[in-house]
Structures are given as C-alpha cells and as structure tokens.
C-alpha cells in the first residue's frame, strides 16, 4: 500500500537551506489549533498534545476503514502579534499562535469531530475539541534552516531580514516555524527548525529579477 | 561495592565457562548455562558476550579447536576423528577452520614441533586440560559512555499484539494495535508506545524472535481477538536512551547488559527488557529516533 508523505511530496515547501532562500507554498490542508501565549507554556504544550492526539486518531481510524494511509507531517507554527508590532519587541505572553499539521485533502471535518469525541470520552485533554481543519496558503516566503536553541533564532532571523532588505521584499510580520527535531531529548545546540518568513506577494513580483539573479 | 559486584559477576561467569569446558561435546542450551550461575535467561547471553567478547557459540567453537590442537600434538587419533570431535563434518572443513585461525594446516601443525599453539582469541579464556579456570579479565570498553538512571516504575496495563519474526517486521503488529485503539480514543495523551523484545537477535534465529507491540491503557475493554491485555510488572528499572535507528538498538542492548550491568552494583530481574518509543518512525529521520530501554532489576535487599 502506498503511504502518502506530504512532507516529502512537497519537498520544495520544506526546503531548509543554510542561507535564506525564497519559496512559494501553495494552498494546503492542515489540522490546526489556535492560542495565545509563549511557546513552552502549559496551554501551548496542551495544544501540541491535542493536535497530535487528533492527528494520529484520524490517521489510524481512516486506515482501519481502508481510507488510505499517510505519514503524519512535522509540526508547524505561525506566530503573530495582534497590533502588528514586531514579535521580538512584544512580550511572549501576548503572542498569538496557530499550530498546524499538514494533512491530506481527503481528511474530512467529520473525521476530526469523531476523533475529538472518542478522545474526550476517554478523558484525554478537552483541547481536542479546539482542533479544526483549515486550508491555508503561506504564499511567498523567505525560508532558512536554523540549527540551535529556539532562543538563538534571532541570529537566523537577522539573516532573513537582511535578505528581505537586499531584495526589497516586505515581510508580513508573521513568523513561522517547522519543527524538524524533537526538543524533548535532542540537545538544544542540535535542534533543527525551518524558519519561514512570509513576504508580501506584490513585493516578490516587483523584485523577481533581483531574486532570480541571486538564485542563479 | 562496585568492585565487589564485578568480581561476583566474574566469579559467576567462571562457573559458566568451566561448565562449558566440561561439556564441550554436549549440546548446551542457554537456559542451562544461565542456571549455572543464577542469571536470568532473558539477559544471560548479552551479559556473557559483553564480558567474554564472544558469543557462547563462538566460545564453544574456539575451545573445541583449541582442544583439537592439543589432541593433534598429544594423541595418535586420526585428523578425521579429531575433526569430528571438534564438531566438523569433514577433515576438509576442519582444516580450513584450523588454518584460518592458526595459519597452518592441522597435518603441518602435528608434525612441526616449532609451530606454536594457535592463539585463537584475544579473550583470556583458553582451553585448559585437567584444570579449571579460576578467573578471567572481562572484555570491557575502555570508555563506557553510558547514561543510565535508576527508576521506580509502576505496573502498567497495556493492550498488545504479539509478533514473531525479524524485529524490523513488527510494523504490522503496530498497525493492528493502532487501528484498533484509535477509534476508541486511546491514542494520544499519556498513552505510551512500548515494545517488548524477548530474544537476543545474536542467538535466536530471525524467524523465531518474539516481540510484543504494546500501548498503555487505563482499563481493559472489549475489542478484536488480535488484541490482548496484560500488566507490565513495575519495580526498579535501569533506563538508558538509545538515539538512532532501530536497527542499532541491539548494539545499545549489548553495551547496556554486557558492559554496564556487569560493572554495576545491580542484578537483573528474571523478566524481559522493554522499550519506550518517543517518536514516530514514519516521520522521523532514523538518526533522530529516540528509544528508552528499560532493564528490570532485582529489588535491593537490606543487608
């Protein structure tokens, strides 16, 4: 049986170069859960657990009913600030986030509702009821691999910002991450995270020549 | 304390080695050998090969060859008879094995007074006639870089599916288990993914390896016949973490039981080890897979 692996199928969306690079991430389906506060706070960890519980319950239930099998994708997160201030200047407790796991388009809302009901009955976290199915288009982004602790992301973000400035690209203000490594055991200095900086598409179109020149 | 236990591990293993020497022509089972020194048969072979630097099979084969060398020099038996006594089916096969270890053909070795007795192993255990081995230097890694913590573990109720065959083919047992548990809402949260490997793949044929895919549950529930329930016995456990592909788990087991345990002040209990898988092998690079290995220990006695 063929197992769908969206992470490998859409390799171009998950490029992890050592230097900033521009990519285009088209519309896709995700399981998602929203919240406010710093990563690693209790509600954040609870949301991660809820999201994974739904993801695996839906996957294995569909598999049981011969509805196809697929690999659970890496965890992704979008962070933004409600007053559009730069995230680094704002207190972490005011960060808005959306945690996402990319999911095949065959997965339906009814799958998620059913999974949430089964999980709640068995006393798993109530947050499973907050998991939803969304379509989302990241569109144009600057992307780069960050190796090291989450606290040290700034040095990588600075390189991405310099890239944006050099090519007159306008960042949307959102900060996105794709978690490659497991922070529970992998030592911080070896953690791999793909950082994604969405940029306004109009600025990409306008400066396409400059970007192409660089990638050549 | 530590030194004392290592000495006792050596003393116990000496009993096993002497038993092997005295029964070189018999078919010895691992259970029988484990009993000679009161080792748990689940862990005996890994402790043995860790301390001796070779497997039971290899040791027996080597001791028989060393005995054959002695017989070539001191007896008038034909080479074929000596070959058969050493467990070979023909003198050809014996010659090949003897030469590869000693550098000369058995016939040459027999005639030449100069040819020295084959040095067949770096282990300090050698074939001896009419005497016992009283001690040996355990085969140890110079730097045993192993992080081990001692944990008190509660009894854990699990739903499980048995698998027999190569460990790498245990995926279907996991599929059966996960597809049965998912609709019940039993995946996620605190549910632990536990694997019980009963056999050492170094001594048990791939087709006979026994494995259980287990997921911790709060209570027994009615489900298909393929799913069974049991409690994994709690108690004291030594725990180490293996980071890397599952194919290399055996290396860590080998080091954990063969090296760490025999140098520690602990004694293994007569129950199999289990593994807890901390990430999803489908979506994780093999090099980043994290597995905790739990080795059951005997309870400490107050002396």
């Amino acid at each position: 049986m063929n197992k769908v692996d969206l992470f490998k199928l859409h390799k171009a969306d998950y490029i992890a170069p050592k230097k900033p690079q521009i990519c285009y991430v088209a519309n896709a389906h995700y399981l998602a859960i929203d919240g406010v506060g710093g990563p690693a706070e209790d509600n954040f960890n609870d949301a991660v657990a809820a999201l994974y519980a739904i993801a695996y319950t839906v996957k294995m239930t569909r598999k049981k009913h011969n509805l196809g099998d697929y690999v659970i994708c890496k965890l992704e997160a979008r962070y933004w600030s409600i007053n559009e201030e730069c995230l680094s200047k704002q207190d972490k407790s005011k960060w808005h986030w959306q945690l996402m796991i990319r999911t095949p388009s065959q997965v339906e809302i009814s799958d998620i509702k059913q999974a949430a009901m089964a999980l709640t009955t068995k006393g798993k976290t109530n947050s499973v009821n907050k998991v939803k199915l969304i379509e989302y288009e990241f569109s144009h982004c600057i992307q780069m691999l960050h190796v090291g602790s989450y606290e040290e992301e700034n040095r990588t973000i600075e390189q991405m910002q310099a890239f944006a400035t050099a090519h007159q690209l306008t960042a949307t203000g959102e900060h996105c991450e794709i978690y490659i490594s497991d922070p529970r055991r992998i030592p911080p200095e070896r953690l791999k995270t793909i950082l994604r900086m969405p940029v306004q598409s109009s600025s990409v179109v306008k400066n396409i020549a400059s970007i192409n020149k660089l990638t050549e | 304390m530590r030194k004392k236990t290592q000495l006792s591990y050596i003393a116990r293993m000496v009993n096993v080695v002497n038993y092997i020497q005295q029964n070189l022509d018999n078919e010895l089972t691992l259970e029988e050998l484990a009993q000679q020194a009161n080792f748990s048969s689940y862990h005996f072979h890994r402790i043995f090969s860790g301390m001796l630097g070779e497997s039971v099979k290899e040791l027996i084969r080597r001791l028989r060859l060393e005995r054959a060398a002695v017989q070539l020099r001191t007896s008038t038996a034909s080479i074929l008879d000596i070959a058969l006594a050493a467990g070979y089916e023909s003198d050809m096969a014996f010659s090949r094995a003897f030469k590869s270890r000693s550098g000369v053909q058995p016939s040459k070795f027999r005639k030449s007074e100069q040819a020295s007795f084959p040095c067949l192993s770096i282990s300090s255990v050698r074939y001896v006639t009419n005497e016992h081995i009283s001690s040996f230097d355990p085969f140890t890694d110079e730097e045993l870089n192993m992080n081990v913590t001692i944990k008190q573990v509660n009894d854990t109720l699990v739903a499980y599916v048995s698998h027999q065959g190569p460990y790498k083919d245990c995926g279907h047992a996991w599929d059966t288990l996960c597809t049965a548990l998912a609709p019940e809402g039993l995946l996620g949260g605190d549910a632990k993914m536990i694997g019980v490997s009963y056999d050492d793949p170094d001594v048990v044929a791939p087709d006979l390896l026994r494995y259980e895919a287990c997921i911790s549950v709060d209570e027994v529930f009615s489900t298909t016949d393929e799913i069974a329930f049991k409690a994994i016995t709690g108690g004291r456990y030594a725990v180490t973490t293996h980071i890397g592909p599952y194919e290399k788990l055996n290396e860590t087991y080998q080091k954990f039981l063969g090296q760490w345990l025999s140098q520690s002040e602990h004694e293994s209990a007569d129950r199999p080890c289990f593994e807890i898988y901390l990430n999803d092998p489908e979506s994780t690079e093999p090099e980043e897979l994290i597995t905790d290995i739990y080795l059951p220990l005997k309870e400490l006695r107050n002396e």
Side-chain angles (χ1 to χ4, degrees):
Chain A
M1 188 160 49
N2 264 345
K3 202 171 276 192
V4 179
D5 187 342
L6 295 170
F7 196 76
K8 288 191 176 137
L9 208 61
H10 299 280
K11 244 184 188 154
D13 295 356
Y14 299 102
I15 49 162
K18 289 193 178 111
K19 284 185 173 154
Q21 205 169 313
I22 193 117
C23 67
Y24 175 79
V25 185
N27 185 59
H29 291 229
Y30 300 86
L31 293 176
I33 183 166
D34 298 349
V36 181
E41 277 177 23
D42 284 351
N43 68 328
F44 186 92
N45 293 333
D46 178 52
V48 173
L51 190 59
Y52 273 116
I54 291 283
Y56 281 100
T57 303
V58 168
K59 167 193 154 96
M60 295 316 289
T61 306
R62 287 182 62 87
K63 187 172 179 175
K64 183 191 171 105
H65 297 122
N66 291 319
L67 293 169
D69 194 8
Y70 54 92
V71 174
I72 299 292
C73 284
K74 296 288 182 191
L75 180 69
E76 309 187 21
R78 294 170 51 219
Y79 298 93
W80 68 92
S81 132
I82 209 82
N83 53 14
E84 290 182 17
E85 237 184 82
C86 180
L87 274 174
S88 59
K89 285 188 191 130
Q90 193 158 59
D91 189 69
K92 276 188 185 173
S93 65
K94 289 182 180 149
W95 285 8
H96 284 244
W97 43 257
Q98 178 168 59
L99 301 175
M100 315 157 88
I101 293 178
R102 195 163 178 165
T103 299
S105 55
Q106 290 85 343
V107 170
E108 293 171 25
I109 292 174
S110 58
D111 292 326
I112 290 155
K113 288 206 164 136
Q114 205 185 341
M117 206 174 354
L119 287 161
T120 322
T121 318
K122 288 286 151 49
K124 312 277 171 178
T125 170
N126 266 324
S127 300
V128 292
N129 294 301
K130 291 196 273 179
V131 176
K132 53 193 177 177
L133 186 63
I134 61 164
E135 282 184 52
Y136 190 78
E137 183 184 334
F138 281 92
S139 193
H140 291 98
C141 307
I142 298 169
Q143 206 157 293
M144 183 175 166
L145 179 69
H146 169 75
V147 181
S149 72
Y150 302 134
E151 287 72 29
E152 288 173 332
E153 278 181 12
N154 263 341
R155 63 180 156 86
T156 307
I157 293 172
E158 277 165 21
Q159 285 187 61
M160 294 163 79
Q161 274 162 346
F163 180 93
T165 311
H167 300 286
Q168 295 170 304
L169 301 172
T170 316
T172 64
E174 259 188 41
H175 170 73
C176 309
E177 304 185 342
I178 298 138
Y179 304 99
I180 305 295
S181 316
D182 186 338
R184 289 173 300 179
R185 293 297 181 85
I186 301 292
E189 66 274 13
R190 276 180 48 205
L191 282 178
K192 285 183 190 160
T193 313
I194 298 175
L195 300 190
R196 186 180 268 177
M197 181 187 283
V199 292
Q200 283 171 13
S201 288
S202 56
S203 70
V204 175
V205 175
K206 212 167 81 190
N207 298 294
I208 200 92
S210 150
I211 298 162
N212 283 344
K213 207 170 153 192
L214 185 110
T215 36
E216 261 163 26
Chain B
M1 173 75 170
R2 187 158 284 221
K3 201 147 200 185
K4 209 168 112 195
T5 2
Q6 197 187 354
L7 282 178
S8 103
Y9 268 94
I10 293 173
R12 289 159 69 193
M13 215 41 110
V14 161
N15 289 343
V16 177
V17 172
N18 279 322
Y19 188 80
I20 291 176
Q21 279 236 72
Q22 285 151 18
N23 294 282
L24 257 192
D25 297 313
N26 302 339
E27 283 293 325
L28 299 172
T29 66
L30 290 178
E31 286 72 24
E32 190 181 348
L33 292 176
Q35 275 166 17
Q36 296 310 312
N38 203 17
F39 282 110
S40 154
S41 59
Y42 287 116
H43 313 298
F44 166 71
H45 193 265
R46 283 180 168 131
I47 301 173
F48 180 95
S49 54
M51 290 180 75
L52 273 297
E54 58 195 336
S55 72
V56 167
K57 246 188 189 157
E58 282 163 349
L59 178 77
I60 292 177
R61 200 179 301 138
R62 182 169 66 76
L63 290 179
R64 282 176 177 169
L65 265 180
E66 291 188 12
R67 182 181 61 181
V70 173
Q71 287 168 343
L72 283 169
R73 277 288 171 75
T74 60
S75 82
T76 53
S78 72
I79 291 182
L80 178 63
D81 284 344
I82 293 174
L84 296 176
Y88 292 87
E89 288 183 351
S90 69
D91 48 356
M92 285 280 286
F94 171 66
S95 289
R96 217 175 299 128
F98 192 87
K99 194 182 172 189
S100 80
R101 295 275 195 142
S102 69
V104 293
Q105 298 282 0
S107 52
K108 242 191 198 150
F109 178 79
R110 171 165 258 184
K111 280 180 211 143
S112 160
E113 288 287 320
Q114 277 92 35
S116 54
F117 272 79
C119 181
L120 298 170
S121 162
I122 47 167
S123 143
S124 58
V125 172
R126 311 293 305 272
Y127 177 76
V128 286
T129 45
N130 303 325
E131 55 187 287
H132 290 291
I133 292 165
S134 54
S135 188
F136 67 93
D137 295 326
F139 185 87
T140 47
D141 269 349
E142 296 218 330
E143 273 181 45
L144 182 63
N145 239 333
M146 196 153 225
N147 256 327
V148 178
T149 46
I150 305 296
K151 285 187 190 171
Q152 195 67 36
V153 177
N154 293 332
D155 286 355
T156 311
L157 180 68
V158 295
Y160 73 98
V161 173
S162 302
H163 161 78
Q164 185 176 323
Y167 286 145
K168 66 175 169 50
D169 297 340
C170 68
H172 76 97
W174 281 107
D175 281 350
T176 307
L177 185 61
C178 289
T179 50
L181 265 57
E184 304 282 340
L186 291 170
L187 299 185
D190 303 331
K192 290 192 179 84
M193 317 291 268
I194 302 170
V196 184
S197 312
Y198 284 87
D199 301 303
D200 177 353
D202 285 343
V203 283
V204 174
D207 287 346
L208 300 176
L209 293 171
R210 294 164 301 158
Y211 177 86
E212 284 163 2
C214 316
I215 293 180
S216 62
V217 292
D218 289 335
E219 55 194 9
V220 174
F221 58 97
S222 66
T223 173
T224 59
D225 291 346
E226 292 162 294
I227 316 288
F229 294 88
K230 69 169 179 181
I232 292 180
T233 311
R236 285 173 73 242
Y237 279 84
V239 186
T240 193
T241 302
H242 167 83
I243 297 183
Y246 296 149
E247 287 77 25
K248 288 193 174 169
L249 267 170
N250 195 36
E251 288 174 23
T252 304
Y253 268 107
Q254 194 67 52
K255 215 166 122 181
F256 193 17
L257 282 99
Q259 309 257 328
W260 178 83
L261 181 64
S262 66
Q263 293 171 53
S264 77
E265 67 265 44
H266 302 285
E267 169 84 23
S268 62
D270 193 24
R271 283 178 274 130
C273 295
F274 65 82
E275 299 151 11
I276 298 187
Y277 311 105
L278 294 171
N279 33 25
D280 174 1
E282 277 184 2
S283 60
T284 309
E285 290 300 318
E287 292 307 323
E288 303 227 324
L289 288 171
I290 303 172
T291 311
D292 281 342
I293 302 176
Y294 284 69
L295 164 65
L297 298 176
K298 278 192 180 156
E299 297 302 323
L300 285 175
R301 261 169 292 172
N302 293 324
E303 285 168 12

